[in-house]
Amino acid sequence: TLKKCVKLKTNSTMSNKKLSRVDVPNNSSLYKKPFVESFEETPLLVAVLTYMGYGILTIFGYLRDFLRQWNIEKCHVAREREEQKDFVPLYQDFENFYTRNLYMRIRDNWNRPICSVPGAKMDLVERVSHDYNWTFEHTGKVVKDVINMGSYNYLGFAENIGACADAAVKATHKYGAGVSSTRCEMGNLDIHEELEQLVARFLGVESSMAFGMGFATNSMNIPALTGKGCLILSDELNHASLVLGARLSGSTIRVFKHNNMQSLEKLLRDAIVHGQPRTHRPWKKILIVVEGIYSMEGSVVRLPEVIALKKRYKAYLYLDEAHSIGALGPNGRGVVDYFGLDPKDVDIMMGTFTKSFGAAGGYIGGKKELIDYLRTHSHSALYATSMSPPVAQQIITSMKIIMGEDGTKLGADRLRQLSENTTYFRRKLRDMGFIIYGNDDSPVVPMMLYMPAKIGAFGREMLKRNIGTVVVGFPATPIIESRARFCISAAHTREMLDTVSHLANLKPIYIYRNFYLSCYVSPKTVHSSY
């Protein structure tokens, strides 16, 4: 049953210490408080069954492709017409094998349309599919009051009432919804200048720059900072925006193991000793790229150790705080605040406004010389449209609330509530026997599912109980580490967290039944609330 397969901490696994791996810092003297992250290894039996599941799915996939090739089964995938057979292929059939035969069977768990504010509770539009998830139709019904455990609404600022919403409405009346120009032309408003000064003061840096899109903040600014002859050392679990930015820069990229300081130091030492390939000249720059909180693992970067290595080997540090800004630290100022470090020790401080601030866009903070350089060299600054004024106002208002500059304790209360909710929910799941990953202070809580059939079954059964969750599998995670990911918010009440944590009360769902429902003989009509 799903219950039995999710609750893997049985007596045998509890007694076998080899199944648990606890990451403890090598240099504990750099930390002012205990820093422990636990990751339990996948049990051997579960790993074998998971590989078997994917194996059977693959066999059925090839069988179905064979039936499609001979027109025995209707093919819904995009393909060239017969009269284009002599053209260079536009679609690669084999590359789409996973999407066509595995992902499509459980596609109803993603892209669900929301018709309300993505707060602690939300409303979903009900969908139905008559062709095995290839297309969806709206039934006209709305699933009300679904507990939202998937949005990155860490501090609960995703709301349509209150100070932030009122301020955004006023900004819309004053400036309009759009800017219709770039910052360097006619799109630089006084509200943008105010936002950047506030962000710099919030981070404790000399200057900052705001961008309209968080993804572009990474992908368009890293190429402006490094280029040919530079070396980028990237954590293996870095976000796709960081990976894309590193590739676009033309720099040499070397990947170190996740949060592994021995692996990072080895790459740094080799880079200093050997220099560039063939010429052995010194690297022009060495840039270490890490994240504050890793969104799939729930782990926190070992920033004190990273900074120590950066200083020892004279490298630069690029810190992506997309998930940690506002969510960590006594003052909500991210992982630097969490460890009690000096912001000046981080060369490039990057973050987004899409999570804790309930808005959109991103920022980069650092020395004034750095920001002035990016204003004239960043593609995102020169060619992208400026941030929408109501979005900028939402950020300004929410940030002032966090800093306490609104004259209330609402920001401090939300920071405390998020911390309490995170600790309570993680402890509750552990006490119930579920395997969860990451740091105890991380509001990102991955709960392991492992088997492919359970990805779809878990998401559907949770929605059936009015709980919206994010389920993740291969290729977003390792093939034997599929999981459900909960994002805790300060807006969640203790009753909501109790409701979600009572997952063990799910009715028995037989894996073999759901396995075949997911891979081949699923019912023709699939509801998103199934």
Side-chain angles (χ1 to χ4, degrees):
T1 66
L2 178 62
K3 175 180 175 182
K4 292 180 180 178
C5 290
V6 173
K7 292 188 66 174
L8 291 169
K9 278 191 177 179
T10 58
N11 292 333
S12 60
T13 58
M14 293 287 284
S15 61
N16 190 348
K17 299 299 182 181
K18 292 182 179 180
L19 293 182
S20 292
R21 177 167 60 88
V22 178
D23 290 336
V24 181
N26 300 316
N27 192 348
S28 58
S29 62
L30 296 174
Y31 296 81
K32 299 179 181 179
K33 59 181 181 179
F35 181 84
V36 178
E37 293 186 341
S38 60
F39 298 90
E40 186 161 329
E41 296 178 4
T42 305
L44 180 60
L45 176 61
V46 175
V48 171
L49 292 175
T50 301
Y51 280 122
M52 288 177 58
Y54 277 106
I56 296 174
L57 281 168
T58 303
I59 293 172
F60 271 100
Y62 279 113
L63 173 61
R64 298 185 70 180
D65 278 352
F66 176 79
L67 296 177
R68 293 185 185 114
Q69 184 178 358
W70 291 94
N71 296 322
I72 299 174
E73 179 180 335
K74 185 178 180 180
C75 183
H76 298 275
V77 71
R79 62 198 312 185
E80 285 82 4
R81 293 173 294 179
E82 280 297 319
E83 51 267 33
Q84 292 179 306
K85 62 182 180 180
D86 294 330
F87 284 70
V88 176
L90 180 61
Y91 306 104
Q92 297 293 331
D93 283 345
F94 182 77
E95 290 182 5
N96 296 325
F97 178 86
Y98 181 88
T99 301
R100 189 169 59 248
N101 294 298
L102 284 77
Y103 167 75
M104 199 60 63
R105 313 312 301 168
I106 54 177
R107 183 168 165 246
D108 56 297
N109 285 278
W110 293 278
N111 305 315
R112 290 169 175 155
I114 298 174
C115 55
S116 70
V117 174
K121 286 189 176 182
M122 59 186 176
D123 299 336
L124 299 183
V125 177
E126 188 179 60
R127 303 179 300 176
V128 62
S129 176
H130 299 286
D131 54 4
Y132 308 104
N133 289 340
W134 285 99
T135 60
F136 292 98
E137 295 178 6
H138 296 163
T139 65
K141 298 180 181 179
V142 175
V143 184
K144 294 281 189 178
D145 295 329
V146 177
I147 299 176
N148 183 4
M149 298 299 296
S151 297
Y152 307 126
N153 184 27
Y154 296 131
L155 292 179
F157 283 114
E159 50 194 1
N160 53 8
I161 58 173
C164 292
D166 295 340
V169 170
K170 291 180 181 179
T172 306
H173 286 304
K174 180 178 179 180
Y175 298 97
V179 181
S180 304
S181 182
T182 64
R183 290 288 297 275
C184 61
E185 294 175 338
M186 297 296 293
N188 189 31
L189 306 181
D190 58 345
I191 196 172
H192 295 138
E193 301 280 350
E194 179 186 357
L195 170 61
E196 291 176 344
Q197 292 172 11
L198 181 63
V199 170
R201 188 153 48 86
F202 180 68
L203 297 175
V205 295
E206 293 180 7
S207 183
S208 74
M209 186 175 183
F211 303 88
M213 182 181 179
F215 191 98
T217 305
N218 279 330
S219 59
M220 293 290 101
N221 282 292
I222 293 179
L225 295 171
T226 64
K228 188 176 181 181
C230 299
L231 174 65
I232 294 178
L233 303 181
S234 176
D235 189 290
E236 65 179 346
L237 297 184
N238 275 344
H239 190 262
S241 59
L242 293 170
V243 175
L244 178 60
R247 291 176 177 174
L248 291 176
S249 70
S251 305
T252 301
I253 305 170
R254 290 175 184 167
V255 179
F256 62 91
K257 296 180 181 178
H258 174 56
N259 245 354
N260 189 312
M261 296 303 106
Q262 293 95 337
S263 176
L264 174 58
E265 185 171 14
K266 183 179 184 303
L267 291 180
L268 283 168
R269 190 184 298 113
D270 290 345
I272 299 298
V273 172
H274 301 293
Q276 299 184 42
R278 295 189 300 274
T279 64
H280 299 293
R281 293 177 180 173
W283 295 99
K284 295 179 180 178
K285 296 177 188 173
I286 300 178
L287 182 66
I288 303 171
V289 180
V290 294
E291 293 186 46
I293 292 180
Y294 292 84
S295 59
M296 286 297 173
E297 303 296 316
S299 55
V300 177
V301 64
R302 294 176 175 174
L303 192 58
E305 295 181 76
V306 174
I307 289 177
L309 289 176
K310 166 229 167 187
K311 290 181 176 179
R312 183 184 306 167
Y313 293 96
K314 310 301 181 191
Y316 294 97
L317 177 59
Y318 187 107
L319 174 63
D320 180 345
E321 293 214 78
H323 288 270
S324 56
I325 192 69
L328 282 181
N331 303 301
R333 297 179 182 180
V335 69
V336 176
D337 184 31
Y338 176 75
F339 288 111
L341 302 173
D342 188 349
K344 295 179 182 178
D345 288 335
V346 180
D347 301 286
I348 305 103
M349 297 184 70
M350 177 271 171
T352 62
F353 303 118
T354 57
K355 281 81 175 175
S356 297
F357 304 96
Y363 67 82
I364 283 185
K367 292 183 179 180
K368 188 177 185 302
E369 293 83 359
L370 167 70
I371 303 304
D372 290 343
Y373 175 84
L374 289 177
R375 291 188 193 279
T376 57
H377 289 79
S378 168
H379 284 74
S380 188
L382 295 174
Y383 301 109
T385 302
S386 300
M387 180 183 291
S388 173
V391 173
Q393 186 60 60
Q394 163 79 19
I395 302 166
I396 291 172
T397 307
S398 60
M399 190 171 291
K400 285 185 177 179
I401 292 174
I402 296 172
M403 298 171 71
E405 294 186 1
D406 62 332
T408 70
K409 295 183 178 180
L410 180 59
D413 292 341
R414 294 196 183 202
L415 291 170
R416 185 183 66 255
Q417 189 63 50
L418 174 62
S419 178
E420 292 176 358
N421 285 352
T422 299
T423 302
Y424 176 79
F425 189 71
R426 280 183 167 273
R427 184 176 65 245
K428 189 98 173 179
L429 290 185
R430 280 205 184 95
D431 291 344
M432 295 176 71
F434 294 103
I435 296 177
I436 60 174
Y437 275 7
N439 193 291
D440 285 347
D441 295 324
S442 170
V444 178
V445 186
M447 189 185 78
M448 306 310 294
L449 297 177
Y450 297 110
M451 299 181 187
K454 290 193 297 181
I455 301 174
F458 186 84
R460 292 166 185 159
E461 288 296 323
M462 291 294 285
L463 185 57
K464 192 175 179 180
R465 290 155 175 80
N466 260 33
I467 301 172
T469 62
V470 173
V471 286
V472 191
F474 180 82
T477 67
I479 195 167
I480 59 172
E481 293 184 7
S482 299
R483 65 199 65 179
R485 186 186 63 184
F486 303 106
C487 293
I488 308 302
S489 170
H492 287 141
T493 63
R494 191 61 59 91
E495 291 74 20
M496 293 178 189
L497 298 179
D498 286 338
T499 300
V500 177
S501 64
H502 289 158
L503 304 174
N505 294 328
L506 285 174
K507 296 178 181 178
I509 306 169
Y510 294 98
I511 282 301
Y512 294 108
R513 175 174 68 86
N514 277 281
F515 176 78
Y516 290 110
L517 288 178
S518 296
C519 77
Y520 188 66
V521 292
S522 56
K524 190 172 184 180
T525 301
V526 179
H527 289 269
S528 63
S529 58
Y530 166 70

